[in-house]
Structure formats: C-alpha cells, structure tokens
Amino acid sequence: MATGVAAWLPFARAAAIGWMPVANCPMPIAPRDNSKRQDELIILNVSGRRFQTWRTTLDRYPDTLLGSSEKDFFYNEETKEYFFDRDPDAFRSILNFYRTGKLHYPRHECISAYDEELTFFGIIPEIIGDCCYEEYKDRKRENLERLQDDQEENKDMKLPNMNFRETMWRAFENPHTSTMALVFYYVTGFFIAISVITNVVETVPCGSTANQKDMPCGERYTVAFFCMDTACVMIFTVEYLLRLFAAPSRYRFMRSVMSIIDVVAILPYYIGLVMTNNEDVSGAFVTLRVFRVFRIFKFSRHSQGLRILGYTLKSCASELGFLLFSLTMAIIIFATVMFYAEKGSSSSKFTSIPASFWYTIVTMTTLGYGDMVPKTIAGKIFGSICSLSGVLVIALPVPVIVSNFSRIYHQNQRADKRRAQKKARLARIRIAKSGSANAFLQSKRNGLINELLELTGTEEDEQKLIKSTSLLESQHHHLLHCLEKTTAHEFVDEQMYEQNCLETVLQSYPSRSPSISSHDSSMGTCCGHRVKKNIPLPNASVPPAHPVPVHQGPLQELSAIHIQCSDPSSHTASRSTLNLKADDSRINCKGGRITTAIISLPTPPALTPDGDGLHGPPQRRPPPPSGHPTPPSIQTTTSSACTSIVKVSAL
Amino acid sequence: MWCLFFLSNVASVCVHADKADDDLEMTMVCHRPEGLDQLEAQTNFSKRELQVLYRGFKNECPSGVVNEETFKQIYSQFFPHGDASTYAHYLFNAFDTGHSGSIKFEDFVTALSILLRGTVTEKLQWTFNLYDINRDGYINKEEMTDIVRAIYDMMGKYTYPVLKHDAPKQHVDAFFQKMDKNRDGVVTLDEFILSCQEDENIMRSLQLFENVI
C-alpha cells in the first residue's frame, strides 16, 4: 500500500462498516493503537538549518532513516533535536518526499552528491517521480560512462590467463593492444589500398607501343598485375582464415557483414583461377571482377565513420524508401505526360514512356544533358513544369533525410532506453503490488505463529518471531481481514490457488471421517474462527527452523493448525484456521460442536500418498487433547500429491 | 485593406488568449471548508481530530475536493488483490450526499462522524443508503447483488476457497432470507434496522471501528 495514502486509511476502515450487514461471520478484533501519543513536531537540524515536521509525516516510510529508529542515533539530548551533518539544500527534496510522497531530482544538483544523500537517508532512487526520472537516469548514465572511460585505460593490460586464440581475437579487434596488432592493422590497410589502386590503374590505357593501339595497362603488363593481385589476395585470405580461427563464435563471425565482404572480395580471384579460358564463361568471369571493388569496404574496419554511416543508412531505410517511391511516382507522371505531349512531333526521341524516364530524371535533378529535348510547345511547357517541380521534389527531402538521420539515430537510442525502463518500472510496480499483497498473507501466517507461541513458547521465542509491524500495517491488515470475513473467502497467493484448483480436481472421493452433525451447509465453507487451544501442542515447541522441505514456500513449519468442519457435500478440504478453546463464546460454526483438527504439513514430493496411510513423519501427530470431552481418533483423507492432511476427528 | 487584415489577426490572437485563460481557470477550482468551530458543532469530532483529518485530506487533494477518479484510485490502493473500483463508485455516491460529483471536506467529515461516532441507528441508516443504489427507499435483489458482487470483486482471483461464480448470488439470497421480514422481495429501512438489531454479530461488528481516529 502506498503510504502516501496512509491518511485515508481511517476513512477506508470506517467505510468497512458498509460490509457488516452483508457479512455472515464475525469480524476480527481491531488492533489497538497503544501508542496514543498526540502528534508532535520534530525538529531536524541539518547543518544549522532547522526543518520541522510532524512525527507522523516521517513515520510514513518506516524503512528509511528518518522513519525508523535509526534517527535516534542522531538525537541531541540537550537541544532536543535531531542533528544531521549533511547538505541542507539536498535535504529539502528528501523532506519533501516524506511530505508529498514524490521524490524529485533538482537539476542543479550534482548526480553523485544527490545519490549519496539518498543512500544516506535510506531512500531508493527508483521512486523518483516520472517528472524527474528521465533527467536523473540521463545524468547517471553520463556519469557512469565517464567513470568507465577512466577505467578503460587500465583495462588494456593483458590478462595472464588468456589463451592464444583469445589474444589473437583481441589483437584483431583492438589494434592498439600490442605492437604486432598495430603492424598487422597497417599492413592490411596498406594492402587494401594497393589492391584498390591496382584495380583502378588496370583499366587506364597505357602508352601505345609501336605496333598496337592503346590498351589498358592491365592487358599490357598482365604478369605484373597478376602478381600484385595474387599477393593481395593471399594476404586477405590469410587474414580471413586467422580471423575465422580466432573468433569466439565462428558461426556468428561467418554471418557477420564484414566477413561476407571479405569473402566476396577474394572469391573472384579463386573463381578465375579455377575457370578455364573458355569463351562462354570468360564473359561471366569479367563481370565477376567487378566484385573486386568490394575490397574498398574492408576499410570500414579501419574507419569508425563508415560504420556509423552504414548503421544510420540501415536505420533510415524506410525514409529513403519513401523518398524513392515518391520520386518514382513523379517520374512516371511526368514521363507519361511528356510522351503524350511529344507524340505528335516528328523524329522525337520520346519513343516510349520508359524512354521518357531518362529525360524526366535528368530534368528533375536539374542535370539537363540535352540529349533529349522536347520540341512541341506543350512538351516545352510540361518540361519546364517538370524541372521546376524537380527542384522541389529533390531538394526538399534531402535536408529532411539528413535531419531524420540524426533524429532517428538519437530517437532509437532513447526509445530503447525508455522501453527497458518501462519494463523495469512495470516490474517494480508489480513487485510493490504483490509485495503488499504478500505482506498481508505473510502477516496472517505470522499472526498464527504468534498465537501458537503465545500459548506455548517462551518469551524469547515470541520476541524472535514477532516482527514489529507498524500500526499502519496492522490496521490495514485488519481491514483486509474484515473483507475476508465478509465474503467468507480467504486471500491466498498464486501458488496455493493453483494447488487448490488441482486439489478440487484430484479429490474425487469423499473423506472418510463422519460428518459433524447439523452443519449449516448453506454457507458453503465454514468461516474461520480463532479459538485458543488450552493444551500445549508438542508441535508448537518445534523451533521454527524445522527442516521441512520448502516445496511450497508459504506453508512452512507449522504455519497452520487447521480444523475442518467436514461437510461431505463439499468435496474440497476446506481449511480454516482454528484453535480450540473450550469456553470461548465465539465458536459460531452453526450447529455442530467443533472437535476436529487437521495438521497440514507439506510433504516432499517423493512421498506420494498411498491409499489410506498416514502421511508425514509420524512424530508430528499430536497427542489427543487431554482436556477434551471425547478422545479424538485420527483419520486420514486422501490428499493431493503435495500436501498431507492428517485429520483428527471426534466421533 | 491591410489594416483590416492586421486587426483581424490581432482579434483572433486575443480570443485565443481568453480561451487559454478560461482553460487555466477551470483547473484552479479550490474549495475551502467552513470554519473549524462550525464543523465541530456539526460533527462528533473534537477540534484536534478535525485538524488531523483535514491535514490528511488536504495532503492528498490539495484543491480541497475529491472527484470520483481520484477517489477510486485512493481506495484501490488499499485493495491491491482485486478490483475495488465498483465498490468505490458506490461508496463515492454514498459520501457525495449533495450529488455534486465531488466530495468536499464537509461531506467527508460528516460521513466519518456518522460511521465512527454515530449511534447504531445512524450507522445502519448510512449503510442502508449505501446499499440503496437508486435511492428509492427500498433495497431490491438487483441492487444487493450489485453491491455484493462489488465486494467480491475486491477479493480478486486468488482466494481460498475458489470463488464460484454464483457465490454473490448465494450470499444475496442468505441476506434476503434474513432481512426481508414480510417476504415482499424488497428490504425497507425499518426491516433492515430491525433485522440488524436482532443479529449479535452485526451489532458487535458495528462497534469495531470506534478507535480509528
């Protein structure tokens, strides 16, 4: 429960009176407010600046420094105030958190100083309100990155226990780690450059010799170029194989873009080696040589900027696609118009609509080669419209795309961040919600253990187990308890619920114990009663740390002594918490005398229930209650696979 | 002609500014309760208790009024297992005696005074008003089923024993069996008060929250 609405708890409890006429069972007793102090003002002296607030304001968050007894360490007897030697400016937001329930992050505050204050006062930063959370996280991330940069300078020390393969991979990825890596880096770079230049120069026409016309250098100095090509390809192949060997995940490496580029760069050479000088395939072989230009992309390993460009292009793909689509639309429209406009004129170059595409593109991009010009008046008019609109269509999206690049790039980063935060946020909210739900169930069990121990345990045991729940919590739990009584159903957690569903399915045969007389079955299930048992149960003296297998977490130790008002018509083993006390007037199970008890224990899954045997370690069976009118006999019911129910019933 | 154009622009800007101011004003509704002395006279609380109540109230609702949405949110925080919004709606209507759509501090404190410090008859009367959704003076089965179903909704899904679908209906039948003396299908205020006074459990549980403040 958010303690921010703690002030409304009295109202919620008062409104519970609306349930009373509807409820069939009596309500539990309300917790008493023993500390009937008047609300008092507390003075908090933070480095000389005095803050004053009500005590109840600070008590709202009992697991922080100011809300718990930890602040007593800072109490100054002479001046009757709490003195903290901290920053008073930061303390303002902390105190406001208690007042309003929302924690804000002041922007002028240094992030690490603020974090330290929060840690000192025991407040977790996750509860910062939505208005300031984004800013807080951004600043924290920047700070973290700054710290990481400082640390990374030390990280490049060689770890002694890296094997050869890992060393090599690290050398490939970070050339600055060792001299060898640096040498390798520069050598490969050099050879990529050589290879690209070779490919380019190959096609330049060298000077003509006497008997031949101009031919490209590649054909003139075939051998030289072939040797150069071979050398480069050998280096590239060796590099690729080394990377493949050193990669931590070879499969992933082979799928990566860079390795594909590597393969594509060297493959044409090998194909050329393999292929014969056949006439048909040599044409195809020549085309393959085009792929040698992909070697230039190998530079992206050496250049950060190329990598970023590639990534942003990928992320802007949809924008680019839309630009292309709209351009295509415009081209088709204008080409069609020009074609039909120029159809009439003779010797027109606009022979078909696809032929007009070329004219449209050249005009729209304001290139204007002049190889195709319209001759008719209509054609000229439309041609001018085409070039004017081309300016707009081409020039406008370009800055948009550029700004899209930066916007989309940053937006992607922020969206991922927000999505991760949202998941964490929802998880936290869910945990808090289930935490408060679990708190109630936990306190129920604690309440039972406390009652048991009250009867039998010594003072120390009691002190150990009784967790100090605040008055607020006990009042809230009492409210939930009243709701349980009103509806005659109990809150359980998910595990138990699943289990009960299983039980109702499994338990198809009735219990063997005789039904208690005149049980008012109109209520379906019996209400829970809390009647104290006079005689000490041996189980109660078992220390709580009994090694019962926690197969189902909740029902540990002897968390419940169940008494079943068995109703053969209801096939579920209805469990209600019940301690017998003979003379308590609050026994109100209409009709029958309650003389049954069930001890429910979790058994390890290995212990499968046999047909009618007793389950659970036999020493747990309680002796018959001595002060009881009739000696009870022990009967068993068939139980689900997970729990064993030993039923003690009086005949 | 250009000055007409200019003037029309200025006029439209002014109109927009006024509308913005209106919007701003709408959100600044504030309500102050009557004086402390008057409230002390009207309710069964002491001055100190009223002070504590008002501080909590004003903390959650700085504007001084609670609307239904906020009310539902606040109430749902106490019942995290299930869905408390339906019951909160009925509660809201019971608190909002003036049917103004919002609860002011006077309504809040008047109802609390009845619930915590009132006589048994007053409490039962308030409860009857809560159940009587359409305020016609009779509780019929449909109204009661709605209320009981709203209460069961607050339990949520994970209960022991498993909530059957007709559990509210059974509950309502039992209720009517007890309350409807002349078996005419509706429960009047007198029948209600009489039947409740006969039931020990109810009488005892009405005194349960005396020490809440």
Side-chain angles (χ1 to χ4, degrees):
Chain A
M1 179 188 73
T3 37
V5 291
W8 286 74
L9 188 59
F11 144 73
R13 300 183 69 208
I17 289 191
W19 306 335
M20 302 302 155
V22 178
N24 295 323
C25 312
M27 294 288 148
I29 311 184
R32 296 214 60 86
D33 186 1
N34 291 325
S35 63
K36 258 301 193 183
R37 293 191 292 232
Q38 294 285 19
D39 206 2
E40 46 166 327
L41 278 179
I42 294 191
I43 305 179
L44 301 162
N45 184 346
V46 183
S47 301
R49 205 188 296 179
R50 278 183 177 70
F51 298 87
Q52 290 185 338
T53 180
W54 298 107
R55 181 178 287 274
T56 44
T57 308
L58 293 181
D59 287 340
R60 282 196 198 140
Y61 298 97
D63 51 357
T64 58
L65 188 152
L66 291 173
S68 65
S69 58
E70 197 184 342
K71 63 178 184 283
D72 294 337
F73 287 100
F74 299 91
Y75 189 65
N76 187 344
E77 289 289 343
E78 295 112 47
T79 51
K80 297 264 189 280
E81 59 188 21
Y82 294 88
F83 180 76
F84 297 96
D85 202 7
R86 312 289 298 185
D87 182 10
D89 287 328
F91 188 72
R92 272 183 51 236
S93 8
I94 300 210
L95 194 53
N96 277 337
F97 166 62
Y98 287 90
R99 292 191 183 123
T100 61
K102 299 194 196 68
L103 182 62
H104 292 283
Y105 170 59
R107 276 166 175 71
H108 61 266
E109 213 38 70
C110 165
I111 184 75
S112 32
Y114 189 70
D115 255 350
E116 266 181 39
E117 294 295 310
L118 286 184
T119 321
F120 179 81
F121 286 102
I123 300 174
I124 48 172
E126 269 72 27
I127 44 182
I128 291 185
D130 277 336
C131 42
C132 301
Y133 193 67
E134 195 79 41
E135 170 88 18
Y136 174 81
K137 274 291 176 197
D138 282 344
R139 296 272 286 265
K140 196 148 187 200
R141 194 179 33 90
E142 281 172 21
N143 201 38
L144 222 65
E145 281 168 3
R146 186 181 57 79
L147 286 173
Q148 270 178 359
D149 282 340
D150 291 340
Q151 279 176 10
E152 250 180 24
E153 290 175 1
N154 313 333
K155 210 175 63 169
D156 287 337
M157 289 186 304
K158 189 166 176 182
L159 303 169
N161 52 352
M162 275 207 307
N163 59 10
F164 177 63
R165 189 172 151 190
E166 285 173 1
T167 330
M168 238 172 48
W169 181 249
R170 230 178 99 231
F172 281 139
E173 293 297 299
N174 302 333
H176 308 284
T177 46
S178 68
T179 342
M180 272 304 296
L182 212 56
V183 162
F184 183 76
Y185 177 76
Y186 282 125
V187 161
T188 41
F190 176 70
F191 271 96
I192 296 175
I194 290 282
S195 163
V196 169
I197 293 174
T198 316
N199 288 341
V200 166
V201 169
E202 221 176 32
T203 59
V204 171
C206 287
S208 54
T209 58
N211 50 349
Q212 287 162 329
K213 56 177 176 26
D214 263 348
M215 55 158 61
C217 286
E219 288 177 26
R220 191 132 170 232
Y221 304 104
T222 320
V223 179
F225 279 104
F226 182 72
C227 291
M228 198 95 82
D229 208 18
T230 314
C232 296
V233 168
M234 261 179 22
I235 301 272
F236 295 153
T237 316
V238 164
E239 181 205 353
Y240 180 72
L241 288 175
L242 281 180
R243 276 186 204 266
L244 191 62
F245 167 68
S249 156
R250 295 207 175 111
Y251 178 62
R252 202 155 57 95
F253 172 74
M254 286 198 1
R255 282 193 316 175
S256 73
V257 177
M258 287 312 301
S259 93
I260 293 181
I261 291 181
D262 288 339
V263 168
V264 166
I266 60 182
L267 220 45
Y269 176 80
Y270 288 109
I271 295 183
L273 277 186
V274 167
M275 264 198 298
T276 60
N277 235 342
N278 212 338
E279 274 306 312
D280 337 323
V281 292
S282 66
F285 174 61
V286 165
T287 357
L288 269 185
R289 290 181 132 210
V290 154
F291 285 102
R292 290 188 306 172
V293 82
F294 275 83
R295 289 180 196 166
I296 209 171
F297 282 116
K298 285 165 72 78
F299 265 129
S300 62
R301 272 215 190 89
H302 299 251
S303 156
Q304 173 87 334
L306 265 181
R307 279 206 293 270
I308 292 181
L309 183 65
Y311 171 74
T312 46
L313 274 179
K314 198 166 52 158
S315 63
C316 278
S318 65
E319 257 72 13
L320 285 174
F322 179 69
L323 171 64
L324 218 62
F325 175 69
S326 60
L327 265 181
T328 316
M329 263 180 29
I331 289 173
I332 292 178
I333 290 174
F334 278 108
T336 315
V337 166
M338 289 308 296
F339 171 71
Y340 282 112
E342 285 290 303
K343 199 160 172 181
S345 84
S346 56
S347 74
S348 148
K349 293 256 180 72
F350 296 80
T351 50
S352 64
I353 294 187
S356 314
F357 282 168
W358 175 243
Y359 168 77
T360 319
I361 293 177
V362 166
T363 315
M364 281 181 94
T365 53
T366 70
L367 278 175
Y369 289 135
D371 52 349
M372 284 163 87
V373 284
K375 289 196 177 63
T376 59
I377 302 219
K380 287 189 178 156
I381 291 176
F382 285 119
S384 40
I385 295 178
C386 174
S387 78
L388 283 176
S389 67
V391 169
L392 282 177
V393 172
I394 302 282
L396 269 185
V398 169
V400 172
I401 295 248
V402 164
S403 70
N404 258 7
F405 279 172
S406 59
R407 185 178 56 84
I408 290 173
Y409 184 71
H410 287 127
Q411 207 177 47
N412 266 350
Q413 282 199 328
R414 230 176 269 141
D416 285 332
K417 220 185 353 171
R418 224 178 295 134
R419 236 174 287 133
Q421 279 173 14
K422 188 171 184 192
K423 254 190 271 180
R425 279 275 181 98
L426 287 178
R428 269 199 304 274
I429 291 175
R430 219 177 327 128
I431 288 176
K433 248 197 159 187
S434 74
S436 82
N438 284 340
F440 175 60
L441 297 167
Q442 185 70 30
S443 85
K444 260 206 310 187
R445 288 186 287 273
N446 284 347
L448 288 168
I449 299 180
N450 291 346
E451 286 211 11
L452 281 176
L453 284 188
E454 262 172 56
L455 316 165
T456 65
T458 56
E459 275 304 304
E460 303 99 63
D461 286 341
E462 217 177 296
Q463 294 305 330
K464 258 193 294 185
L465 274 202
I466 292 180
K467 284 206 285 231
S468 60
T469 52
S470 68
L471 183 65
L472 207 64
E473 260 189 62
S474 58
Q475 284 179 349
H476 184 213
H477 291 162
H478 175 249
L479 184 65
L480 290 173
H481 208 159
C482 286
L483 183 59
E484 282 187 334
K485 293 281 187 275
T486 308
T487 55
H489 288 71
E490 285 176 15
F491 289 114
V492 293
D493 56 19
E494 214 169 313
Q495 268 178 320
M496 293 271 293
Y497 178 70
E498 306 293 329
Q499 222 177 316
N500 296 340
C501 288
L502 222 84
E503 239 179 58
T504 59
V505 167
L506 285 183
Q507 201 154 23
S508 49
Y509 20 81
S511 67
R512 292 202 308 181
S513 73
S515 63
I516 301 294
S517 62
S518 66
H519 172 74
D520 186 11
S521 60
S522 72
M523 293 194 292
T525 60
C526 188
C527 325
H529 309 281
R530 199 175 287 245
V531 193
K532 292 225 190 341
K533 197 170 177 96
N534 275 335
I535 49 124
L537 302 164
N539 306 338
S541 56
V542 170
H546 197 89
V548 173
V550 186
H551 171 63
Q552 7 145 178
L555 279 182
Q556 273 192 34
E557 302 118 19
L558 15 110
S559 52
I561 292 189
H562 296 289
I563 298 199
Q564 178 181 16
C565 307
S566 73
D567 180 12
S569 62
S570 72
H571 56 274
T572 58
S574 70
R575 312 169 193 206
S576 40
T577 63
L578 180 54
N579 301 330
L580 273 179
K581 182 180 173 184
D583 54 345
D584 194 303
S585 58
R586 263 154 60 222
I587 296 178
N588 201 5
C589 196
K590 295 207 175 97
R593 320 229 336 257
I594 306 161
T595 48
T596 59
I598 295 182
I599 313 239
S600 155
L601 306 158
T603 53
L607 281 180
T608 55
D610 33 309
D612 56 357
L614 283 177
H615 311 297
Q619 68 265 20
R620 293 197 181 215
R621 199 180 317 159
S626 47
H628 223 259
T630 49
S633 68
I634 299 176
Q635 294 213 347
T636 65
T637 64
T638 55
S639 64
S640 71
C642 288
T643 55
S644 72
I645 301 177
V646 174
K647 202 162 71 172
V648 177
S649 70
L651 298 170
Chain B
M1 184 165 109
W2 65 267
C3 56
L4 277 177
F5 177 75
F6 175 73
L7 280 175
S8 70
N9 267 358
V10 168
S12 63
V13 164
C14 288
V15 164
H16 284 148
D18 285 339
K19 271 167 66 170
D21 280 339
D22 282 339
D23 287 332
L24 206 58
E25 266 180 38
M26 297 271 280
T27 57
M28 302 266 288
V29 165
C30 207
H31 179 83
R32 292 193 176 79
E34 320 166 355
L36 197 51
D37 298 319
Q38 278 169 299
L39 274 179
E40 192 193 1
Q42 286 170 5
T43 64
N44 302 333
F45 290 120
S46 72
K47 272 215 176 96
R48 191 120 188 137
E49 290 164 338
L50 283 173
Q51 281 178 339
V52 169
L53 278 173
Y54 187 68
R55 282 208 298 268
F57 184 83
K58 184 99 176 156
N59 217 14
E60 277 309 307
C61 318
S63 60
V65 294
V66 193
N67 59 2
E68 190 165 341
E69 269 316 302
T70 323
F71 189 86
K72 279 187 184 169
Q73 267 174 12
I74 293 176
Y75 200 70
S76 301
Q77 300 220 25
F78 293 107
F79 301 98
H81 307 263
D83 174 28
S85 52
T86 329
Y87 189 70
H89 168 74
Y90 296 133
L91 261 189
F92 186 83
N93 287 339
F95 269 75
D96 183 16
T97 44
H99 302 290
S100 58
S102 58
I103 301 181
K104 301 182 283 297
F105 182 62
E106 290 95 338
D107 304 325
F108 179 69
V109 118
T110 316
L112 272 188
S113 163
I114 296 177
L115 286 173
L116 298 176
R117 303 286 164 93
T119 65
V120 166
T121 319
E122 284 175 350
K123 288 182 189 173
L124 289 175
Q125 207 158 4
W126 188 92
T127 318
F128 185 85
N129 261 340
L130 172 68
Y131 296 159
D132 184 14
I133 300 181
N134 57 2
R135 306 268 184 279
D136 63 351
Y138 301 105
I139 306 178
N140 53 13
K141 272 211 170 162
E142 285 78 29
E143 290 172 336
M144 206 55 218
T145 316
D146 285 339
I147 295 271
V148 170
R149 187 164 289 130
I151 295 182
Y152 272 85
D153 280 344
M154 285 198 281
M155 290 293 291
K157 193 171 137 200
Y158 301 118
T159 59
Y160 180 77
V162 178
L163 258 180
K164 301 199 185 46
H165 186 65
D166 62 346
K169 187 170 175 312
Q170 280 185 356
H171 210 134
V172 170
D173 289 335
F175 177 81
F176 263 81
Q177 197 136 7
K178 192 166 55 166
M179 301 279 169
D180 191 8
K181 292 277 191 282
N182 57 358
R183 302 267 176 261
D184 59 354
V186 291
V187 178
T188 63
L189 179 61
D190 300 317
E191 285 176 345
F192 183 71
I193 294 185
L194 258 157
S195 319
C196 287
Q197 280 174 336
E198 287 169 6
D199 189 336
E200 278 245 337
N201 271 340
I202 298 182
M203 283 294 114
R204 209 184 351 250
S205 51
L206 283 180
Q207 317 297 327
L208 199 59
F209 296 109
E210 297 254 292
N211 62 342
V212 161
I213 297 289

